[in-house]
Amino acid sequence: SGNDAFRRLSGSGFIDIGNGDANAFRGQRAGNRTAQSTTRAEHQRGLSIQLHIQGRYSGFASIMAITKRRKISLFLVSEDRKTFLMETRFLDTFLLVAELGSLAEASRRLGITPAAVAQRMQALEEDVGVPLLTRVGRRVRPTDTGHAIIEKSRRILAEVRDLRSLANADLPSGELRLGAITTALTGLLPSALHEVFASMPLVEVFLLPGPSTDLYQRLIDRDIDAAIIVKPPFSIPKTLEWELLRAERLVLVAPAACRGENPHTLLKTRPFIRYDRNNWGGRLADEYLQRQGLKPAERLELDSLEAISVMVANGLGVSLVPDWARPWPEGLNLAVLELPVPFPPREVGMLWPRSSPSRRLTGIVLDALKRSQTAIRP
């Protein structure tokens, strides 16, 4: 079974592979058979589980084991029989840096310091043995080697998440990687996550903020397990499931002095602050204007609803926006006006793969979201 090839490192919580037995797990080149092994690892509560691992990544056999802290480390055995221990969070960080082109922005997304991001990248490059990132001016970009491992790294991390979910099938635990638009982060998730964490302390949620368009692609690429987004303006693939959480009507926001005025008159006479048409919600507002034959004098185009509301409150114009979930920025003196012509709302919901191993965690968070929406009406 290969169990003799493993030894536990004292005090580390990791399971490692002895170099002398690495040949038992050696990866084969393309066209040859994939290295396979059956290993045992202990669940965080002492449960013994059977893991059937197989995979090949550029001449490496990927061996994965669960640690006591429910983190998964990746073991790569090269063709020269050398063994490397790689933390999956380093690969996660590398993919984020490669996407954003900035260590500082990646640190903000991850909630750690830029120095910590740099240390992770340095450790990963030391493990791999070659540079993965290079600096170009104020930005960083992947080297040729970095580009070469991006897709394979995504597949490895997807397998790790799948393995974690399967290993924790006996109790609600594990990590859910959840993407969410900004208004969901502030208006939908706080009370739902409070309920989840209070009742299921072994459940972890990694939150990735972003616009619906980006999060949809991250879901397709399996970078995340589920996403709270605006419903796509196209048919949802049958491989995905969608559940509506809230329908948000379009409204006109204007300075408080405009209460009681006709929204169409304001759109014709006041400067217009447009909700970014690159966002699916912004396209709805643009479609309303086109259907009504309205061509307002555009002053700004922004992708942040919170920023739009602040601009409007300061007298810079009016805007057509979805009536998004509270809270809104404090201290705003706004008029929120009903539109005279009925129009389809912006639909916000959860999207996830039908066959995802994280379906159980997705369902737990989704149920909490639905209960919170029932208790708190907009």
Side-chain angles (χ1 to χ4, degrees), residues 46-72:
L47 298 176
S48 180
I49 58 175
Q50 189 84 7
L51 306 178
H52 299 275
I53 310 300
Q54 63 178 4
R56 185 187 67 247
Y57 300 96
S58 294
F60 289 95
S62 62
I63 313 297
M64 289 171 281
I66 297 180
T67 71
K68 288 181 177 179
R69 297 178 181 177
R70 287 184 293 119
K71 293 180 180 179
I72 294 182

PDB file of all heavy atoms in Angstrom, residues 46-72:
ATOM      1  N   GLY A  46      -8.984  12.119  14.402  1.00  0.00           N
ATOM      2  CA  GLY A  46      -8.459  10.785  14.626  1.00  0.00           C
ATOM      3  C   GLY A  46      -9.079   9.728  13.752  1.00  0.00           C
ATOM      4  O   GLY A  46      -8.752   8.559  13.892  1.00  0.00           O
ATOM      5  N   LEU A  47      -9.976  10.101  12.859  1.00  0.00           N
ATOM      6  CA  LEU A  47     -10.598   9.127  11.985  1.00  0.00           C
ATOM      7  C   LEU A  47      -9.615   8.721  10.898  1.00  0.00           C
ATOM      8  O   LEU A  47      -8.955   9.548  10.296  1.00  0.00           O
ATOM      9  CB  LEU A  47     -11.857   9.717  11.340  1.00  0.00           C
ATOM     10  CG  LEU A  47     -12.967  10.117  12.305  1.00  0.00           C
ATOM     11  CD1 LEU A  47     -14.094  10.780  11.524  1.00  0.00           C
ATOM     12  CD2 LEU A  47     -13.494   8.906  13.051  1.00  0.00           C
ATOM     13  N   SER A  48      -9.499   7.414  10.656  1.00  0.00           N
ATOM     14  CA  SER A  48      -8.605   6.927   9.613  1.00  0.00           C
ATOM     15  C   SER A  48      -9.390   6.817   8.327  1.00  0.00           C
ATOM     16  O   SER A  48     -10.461   6.227   8.278  1.00  0.00           O
ATOM     17  CB  SER A  48      -8.050   5.554   9.999  1.00  0.00           C
ATOM     18  OG  SER A  48      -7.180   5.082   9.004  1.00  0.00           O
ATOM     19  N   ILE A  49      -8.888   7.426   7.254  1.00  0.00           N
ATOM     20  CA  ILE A  49      -9.597   7.420   5.983  1.00  0.00           C
ATOM     21  C   ILE A  49      -8.689   6.901   4.892  1.00  0.00           C
ATOM     22  O   ILE A  49      -7.469   7.004   4.976  1.00  0.00           O
ATOM     23  CB  ILE A  49     -10.092   8.831   5.615  1.00  0.00           C
ATOM     24  CG1 ILE A  49      -8.914   9.800   5.541  1.00  0.00           C
ATOM     25  CG2 ILE A  49     -11.115   9.340   6.591  1.00  0.00           C
ATOM     26  CD1 ILE A  49      -9.310  11.163   5.067  1.00  0.00           C
ATOM     27  N   GLN A  50      -9.278   6.306   3.877  1.00  0.00           N
ATOM     28  CA  GLN A  50      -8.523   5.741   2.763  1.00  0.00           C
ATOM     29  C   GLN A  50      -8.544   6.745   1.613  1.00  0.00           C
ATOM     30  O   GLN A  50      -9.602   7.212   1.206  1.00  0.00           O
ATOM     31  CB  GLN A  50      -9.178   4.441   2.285  1.00  0.00           C
ATOM     32  CG  GLN A  50      -8.348   3.666   1.278  1.00  0.00           C
ATOM     33  CD  GLN A  50      -7.314   2.796   1.961  1.00  0.00           C
ATOM     34  OE1 GLN A  50      -7.327   2.686   3.170  1.00  0.00           O
ATOM     35  NE2 GLN A  50      -6.438   2.214   1.197  1.00  0.00           N
ATOM     36  N   LEU A  51      -7.365   7.116   1.111  1.00  0.00           N
ATOM     37  CA  LEU A  51      -7.244   8.074   0.027  1.00  0.00           C
ATOM     38  C   LEU A  51      -6.657   7.382  -1.194  1.00  0.00           C
ATOM     39  O   LEU A  51      -5.560   6.828  -1.121  1.00  0.00           O
ATOM     40  CB  LEU A  51      -6.344   9.251   0.424  1.00  0.00           C
ATOM     41  CG  LEU A  51      -6.717   9.981   1.712  1.00  0.00           C
ATOM     42  CD1 LEU A  51      -5.702  11.075   1.983  1.00  0.00           C
ATOM     43  CD2 LEU A  51      -8.111  10.547   1.617  1.00  0.00           C
ATOM     44  N   HIS A  52      -7.356   7.421  -2.311  1.00  0.00           N
ATOM     45  CA  HIS A  52      -6.847   6.865  -3.552  1.00  0.00           C
ATOM     46  C   HIS A  52      -6.388   8.033  -4.424  1.00  0.00           C
ATOM     47  O   HIS A  52      -7.210   8.815  -4.889  1.00  0.00           O
ATOM     48  CB  HIS A  52      -7.934   6.062  -4.271  1.00  0.00           C
ATOM     49  CG  HIS A  52      -8.419   4.905  -3.468  1.00  0.00           C
ATOM     50  ND1 HIS A  52      -7.791   3.681  -3.465  1.00  0.00           N
ATOM     51  CD2 HIS A  52      -9.464   4.796  -2.612  1.00  0.00           C
ATOM     52  CE1 HIS A  52      -8.441   2.856  -2.659  1.00  0.00           C
ATOM     53  NE2 HIS A  52      -9.452   3.513  -2.123  1.00  0.00           N
ATOM     54  N   ILE A  53      -5.118   8.159  -4.620  1.00  0.00           N
ATOM     55  CA  ILE A  53      -4.554   9.318  -5.300  1.00  0.00           C
ATOM     56  C   ILE A  53      -3.958   8.889  -6.623  1.00  0.00           C
ATOM     57  O   ILE A  53      -3.250   7.892  -6.713  1.00  0.00           O
ATOM     58  CB  ILE A  53      -3.421   9.970  -4.457  1.00  0.00           C
ATOM     59  CG1 ILE A  53      -3.903  10.206  -3.028  1.00  0.00           C
ATOM     60  CG2 ILE A  53      -2.963  11.259  -5.077  1.00  0.00           C
ATOM     61  CD1 ILE A  53      -5.099  11.110  -2.945  1.00  0.00           C
ATOM     62  N   GLN A  54      -4.230   9.655  -7.653  1.00  0.00           N
ATOM     63  CA  GLN A  54      -3.514   9.444  -8.895  1.00  0.00           C
ATOM     64  C   GLN A  54      -3.387  10.786  -9.604  1.00  0.00           C
ATOM     65  O   GLN A  54      -4.217  11.646  -9.461  1.00  0.00           O
ATOM     66  CB  GLN A  54      -4.223   8.434  -9.800  1.00  0.00           C
ATOM     67  CG  GLN A  54      -5.603   8.860 -10.257  1.00  0.00           C
ATOM     68  CD  GLN A  54      -6.215   7.840 -11.191  1.00  0.00           C
ATOM     69  OE1 GLN A  54      -5.628   6.793 -11.425  1.00  0.00           O
ATOM     70  NE2 GLN A  54      -7.363   8.156 -11.725  1.00  0.00           N
ATOM     71  N   GLY A  55      -2.337  10.981 -10.344  1.00  0.00           N
ATOM     72  CA  GLY A  55      -2.167  12.236 -11.070  1.00  0.00           C
ATOM     73  C   GLY A  55      -0.789  12.345 -11.661  1.00  0.00           C
ATOM     74  O   GLY A  55       0.145  11.672 -11.227  1.00  0.00           O
ATOM     75  N   ARG A  56      -0.658  13.163 -12.666  1.00  0.00           N
ATOM     76  CA  ARG A  56       0.645  13.394 -13.281  1.00  0.00           C
ATOM     77  C   ARG A  56       0.724  14.855 -13.685  1.00  0.00           C
ATOM     78  O   ARG A  56      -0.174  15.375 -14.333  1.00  0.00           O
ATOM     79  CB  ARG A  56       0.808  12.526 -14.525  1.00  0.00           C
ATOM     80  CG  ARG A  56       2.199  12.636 -15.139  1.00  0.00           C
ATOM     81  CD  ARG A  56       2.269  11.898 -16.477  1.00  0.00           C
ATOM     82  NE  ARG A  56       1.439  12.550 -17.468  1.00  0.00           N
ATOM     83  CZ  ARG A  56       0.342  12.008 -17.977  1.00  0.00           C
ATOM     84  NH1 ARG A  56      -0.064  10.825 -17.595  1.00  0.00           N
ATOM     85  NH2 ARG A  56      -0.398  12.660 -18.861  1.00  0.00           N
ATOM     86  N   TYR A  57       1.769  15.543 -13.292  1.00  0.00           N
ATOM     87  CA  TYR A  57       1.942  16.947 -13.596  1.00  0.00           C
ATOM     88  C   TYR A  57       3.386  17.187 -14.022  1.00  0.00           C
ATOM     89  O   TYR A  57       4.283  17.345 -13.199  1.00  0.00           O
ATOM     90  CB  TYR A  57       1.585  17.832 -12.391  1.00  0.00           C
ATOM     91  CG  TYR A  57       0.153  17.646 -11.965  1.00  0.00           C
ATOM     92  CD1 TYR A  57      -0.175  16.776 -10.928  1.00  0.00           C
ATOM     93  CD2 TYR A  57      -0.873  18.290 -12.651  1.00  0.00           C
ATOM     94  CE1 TYR A  57      -1.503  16.589 -10.563  1.00  0.00           C
ATOM     95  CE2 TYR A  57      -2.199  18.093 -12.293  1.00  0.00           C
ATOM     96  CZ  TYR A  57      -2.503  17.254 -11.253  1.00  0.00           C
ATOM     97  OH  TYR A  57      -3.804  17.054 -10.894  1.00  0.00           O
ATOM     98  N   SER A  58       3.622  17.198 -15.331  1.00  0.00           N
ATOM     99  CA  SER A  58       4.935  17.503 -15.883  1.00  0.00           C
ATOM    100  C   SER A  58       6.033  16.652 -15.263  1.00  0.00           C
ATOM    101  O   SER A  58       7.037  17.152 -14.760  1.00  0.00           O
ATOM    102  CB  SER A  58       5.267  18.993 -15.692  1.00  0.00           C
ATOM    103  OG  SER A  58       4.398  19.777 -16.453  1.00  0.00           O
ATOM    104  N   GLY A  59       5.874  15.357 -15.274  1.00  0.00           N
ATOM    105  CA  GLY A  59       6.919  14.485 -14.768  1.00  0.00           C
ATOM    106  C   GLY A  59       6.875  14.266 -13.274  1.00  0.00           C
ATOM    107  O   GLY A  59       7.771  13.654 -12.708  1.00  0.00           O
ATOM    108  N   PHE A  60       5.841  14.771 -12.600  1.00  0.00           N
ATOM    109  CA  PHE A  60       5.723  14.565 -11.168  1.00  0.00           C
ATOM    110  C   PHE A  60       4.483  13.721 -10.874  1.00  0.00           C
ATOM    111  O   PHE A  60       3.464  13.847 -11.542  1.00  0.00           O
ATOM    112  CB  PHE A  60       5.555  15.903 -10.419  1.00  0.00           C
ATOM    113  CG  PHE A  60       6.794  16.737 -10.392  1.00  0.00           C
ATOM    114  CD1 PHE A  60       6.994  17.728 -11.337  1.00  0.00           C
ATOM    115  CD2 PHE A  60       7.746  16.525  -9.421  1.00  0.00           C
ATOM    116  CE1 PHE A  60       8.126  18.511 -11.304  1.00  0.00           C
ATOM    117  CE2 PHE A  60       8.891  17.313  -9.382  1.00  0.00           C
ATOM    118  CZ  PHE A  60       9.077  18.302 -10.321  1.00  0.00           C
ATOM    119  N   ALA A  61       4.580  12.884  -9.872  1.00  0.00           N
ATOM    120  CA  ALA A  61       3.379  12.253  -9.330  1.00  0.00           C
ATOM    121  C   ALA A  61       2.917  13.101  -8.164  1.00  0.00           C
ATOM    122  O   ALA A  61       3.699  13.471  -7.305  1.00  0.00           O
ATOM    123  CB  ALA A  61       3.688  10.845  -8.846  1.00  0.00           C
ATOM    124  N   SER A  62       1.664  13.466  -8.139  1.00  0.00           N
ATOM    125  CA  SER A  62       1.169  14.310  -7.053  1.00  0.00           C
ATOM    126  C   SER A  62       0.644  13.421  -5.932  1.00  0.00           C
ATOM    127  O   SER A  62      -0.249  12.613  -6.129  1.00  0.00           O
ATOM    128  CB  SER A  62       0.041  15.216  -7.549  1.00  0.00           C
ATOM    129  OG  SER A  62      -1.045  14.464  -7.998  1.00  0.00           O
ATOM    130  N   ILE A  63       1.220  13.543  -4.766  1.00  0.00           N
ATOM    131  CA  ILE A  63       0.804  12.772  -3.599  1.00  0.00           C
ATOM    132  C   ILE A  63       0.257  13.762  -2.586  1.00  0.00           C
ATOM    133  O   ILE A  63       0.925  14.710  -2.211  1.00  0.00           O
ATOM    134  CB  ILE A  63       1.998  12.021  -2.969  1.00  0.00           C
ATOM    135  CG1 ILE A  63       2.808  11.303  -4.056  1.00  0.00           C
ATOM    136  CG2 ILE A  63       1.521  11.069  -1.905  1.00  0.00           C
ATOM    137  CD1 ILE A  63       2.052  10.232  -4.788  1.00  0.00           C
ATOM    138  N   MET A  64      -0.974  13.542  -2.130  1.00  0.00           N
ATOM    139  CA  MET A  64      -1.592  14.490  -1.219  1.00  0.00           C
ATOM    140  C   MET A  64      -1.945  13.806   0.086  1.00  0.00           C
ATOM    141  O   MET A  64      -2.367  12.659   0.084  1.00  0.00           O
ATOM    142  CB  MET A  64      -2.845  15.087  -1.861  1.00  0.00           C
ATOM    143  CG  MET A  64      -2.523  16.046  -2.991  1.00  0.00           C
ATOM    144  SD  MET A  64      -3.990  16.565  -3.911  1.00  0.00           S
ATOM    145  CE  MET A  64      -4.236  15.126  -4.961  1.00  0.00           C
ATOM    146  N   ALA A  65      -1.792  14.513   1.205  1.00  0.00           N
ATOM    147  CA  ALA A  65      -2.134  13.947   2.506  1.00  0.00           C
ATOM    148  C   ALA A  65      -2.778  15.015   3.366  1.00  0.00           C
ATOM    149  O   ALA A  65      -2.406  16.173   3.298  1.00  0.00           O
ATOM    150  CB  ALA A  65      -0.885  13.407   3.198  1.00  0.00           C
ATOM    151  N   ILE A  66      -3.734  14.636   4.182  1.00  0.00           N
ATOM    152  CA  ILE A  66      -4.415  15.579   5.060  1.00  0.00           C
ATOM    153  C   ILE A  66      -3.635  15.704   6.364  1.00  0.00           C
ATOM    154  O   ILE A  66      -3.252  14.710   6.960  1.00  0.00           O
ATOM    155  CB  ILE A  66      -5.842  15.110   5.356  1.00  0.00           C
ATOM    156  CG1 ILE A  66      -6.634  15.071   4.052  1.00  0.00           C
ATOM    157  CG2 ILE A  66      -6.520  16.000   6.371  1.00  0.00           C
ATOM    158  CD1 ILE A  66      -8.049  14.624   4.249  1.00  0.00           C
ATOM    159  N   THR A  67      -3.417  16.921   6.808  1.00  0.00           N
ATOM    160  CA  THR A  67      -2.727  17.135   8.066  1.00  0.00           C
ATOM    161  C   THR A  67      -3.740  17.179   9.202  1.00  0.00           C
ATOM    162  O   THR A  67      -4.946  17.223   8.990  1.00  0.00           O
ATOM    163  CB  THR A  67      -1.939  18.466   8.048  1.00  0.00           C
ATOM    164  OG1 THR A  67      -2.889  19.530   8.101  1.00  0.00           O
ATOM    165  CG2 THR A  67      -1.114  18.586   6.790  1.00  0.00           C
ATOM    166  N   LYS A  68      -3.242  17.230  10.415  1.00  0.00           N
ATOM    167  CA  LYS A  68      -4.117  17.268  11.574  1.00  0.00           C
ATOM    168  C   LYS A  68      -4.944  18.547  11.624  1.00  0.00           C
ATOM    169  O   LYS A  68      -5.981  18.596  12.240  1.00  0.00           O
ATOM    170  CB  LYS A  68      -3.291  17.150  12.858  1.00  0.00           C
ATOM    171  CG  LYS A  68      -2.729  15.762  13.088  1.00  0.00           C
ATOM    172  CD  LYS A  68      -1.957  15.729  14.387  1.00  0.00           C
ATOM    173  CE  LYS A  68      -1.444  14.338  14.702  1.00  0.00           C
ATOM    174  NZ  LYS A  68      -0.675  14.296  15.955  1.00  0.00           N
ATOM    175  N   ARG A  69      -4.456  19.596  10.995  1.00  0.00           N
ATOM    176  CA  ARG A  69      -5.150  20.880  11.049  1.00  0.00           C
ATOM    177  C   ARG A  69      -6.085  21.071   9.863  1.00  0.00           C
ATOM    178  O   ARG A  69      -6.479  22.173   9.555  1.00  0.00           O
ATOM    179  CB  ARG A  69      -4.123  22.006  11.083  1.00  0.00           C
ATOM    180  CG  ARG A  69      -3.239  21.959  12.319  1.00  0.00           C
ATOM    181  CD  ARG A  69      -2.208  23.057  12.299  1.00  0.00           C
ATOM    182  NE  ARG A  69      -1.340  22.994  13.469  1.00  0.00           N
ATOM    183  CZ  ARG A  69      -0.317  23.809  13.660  1.00  0.00           C
ATOM    184  NH1 ARG A  69      -0.035  24.726  12.751  1.00  0.00           N
ATOM    185  NH2 ARG A  69       0.425  23.696  14.743  1.00  0.00           N
ATOM    186  N   ARG A  70      -6.418  20.008   9.179  1.00  0.00           N
ATOM    187  CA  ARG A  70      -7.322  20.033   8.045  1.00  0.00           C
ATOM    188  C   ARG A  70      -6.773  20.819   6.870  1.00  0.00           C
ATOM    189  O   ARG A  70      -7.494  21.245   5.995  1.00  0.00           O
ATOM    190  CB  ARG A  70      -8.704  20.593   8.437  1.00  0.00           C
ATOM    191  CG  ARG A  70      -9.496  19.629   9.258  1.00  0.00           C
ATOM    192  CD  ARG A  70     -10.877  20.150   9.548  1.00  0.00           C
ATOM    193  NE  ARG A  70     -10.843  21.302  10.423  1.00  0.00           N
ATOM    194  CZ  ARG A  70     -11.300  22.486  10.092  1.00  0.00           C
ATOM    195  NH1 ARG A  70     -11.811  22.686   8.905  1.00  0.00           N
ATOM    196  NH2 ARG A  70     -11.256  23.479  10.931  1.00  0.00           N
ATOM    197  N   LYS A  71      -5.458  21.054   6.859  1.00  0.00           N
ATOM    198  CA  LYS A  71      -4.828  21.624   5.679  1.00  0.00           C
ATOM    199  C   LYS A  71      -4.247  20.483   4.856  1.00  0.00           C
ATOM    200  O   LYS A  71      -3.862  19.460   5.400  1.00  0.00           O
ATOM    201  CB  LYS A  71      -3.708  22.594   6.066  1.00  0.00           C
ATOM    202  CG  LYS A  71      -4.221  23.851   6.777  1.00  0.00           C
ATOM    203  CD  LYS A  71      -3.061  24.745   7.133  1.00  0.00           C
ATOM    204  CE  LYS A  71      -3.553  26.009   7.847  1.00  0.00           C
ATOM    205  NZ  LYS A  71      -2.431  26.887   8.234  1.00  0.00           N
ATOM    206  N   ILE A  72      -4.175  20.672   3.572  1.00  0.00           N
ATOM    207  CA  ILE A  72      -3.631  19.633   2.716  1.00  0.00           C
ATOM    208  C   ILE A  72      -2.323  20.119   2.121  1.00  0.00           C
ATOM    209  O   ILE A  72      -2.245  21.208   1.576  1.00  0.00           O
ATOM    210  CB  ILE A  72      -4.610  19.259   1.593  1.00  0.00           C
ATOM    211  CG1 ILE A  72      -5.854  18.607   2.218  1.00  0.00           C
ATOM    212  CG2 ILE A  72      -3.977  18.325   0.593  1.00  0.00           C
ATOM    213  CD1 ILE A  72      -6.876  18.159   1.217  1.00  0.00           C
TER     214      ILE A  72
END
